[in-house]
Amino acid sequence: MIDAGNVIECPPGSWKFTGSPHTLFLRVERVRDDLSGFYEGEVWLEGQQLARDGTPMGRLQALVTVERIRVLQP
């Protein structure tokens, strides 16, 4: 389960709609249940993208493959 406040890691190829094939680190602010129901095995997330060292890089939305999400900080 992904909750607001979690910091997650998503490997390249496991997330969409931000235009860059790299590992995504995200501090989750919102799980978009209203959109996620339309996708099998994927979830829409909104939050603050983070650099590897935790530096905030701006807000984004991404469609993420649930089974490939790794929670780094609950």
Side-chain angles (χ1 to χ4, degrees), residues 21-58:
H22 62 276
T23 299
L24 172 67
F25 296 93
L26 184 73
R27 179 176 294 115
V28 177
E29 295 173 355
R30 180 177 174 203
V31 178
R32 295 288 310 267
D33 292 324
D34 59 324
L35 296 176
S36 298
F38 294 103
Y39 299 91
E40 183 71 31
E42 296 178 309
V43 63
W44 271 101
L45 301 175
E46 292 181 4
Q48 182 66 234
Q49 184 175 0
L50 304 172
R52 285 190 181 274
D53 67 0
T55 302
M57 298 175 58

Side-chain angles (χ1 to χ4, degrees), residues 10 29 43-44 59 70-71:
C10 303
E29 295 173 355
V43 63
W44 271 101
R59 290 182 42 79
R70 183 173 142 215
V71 177

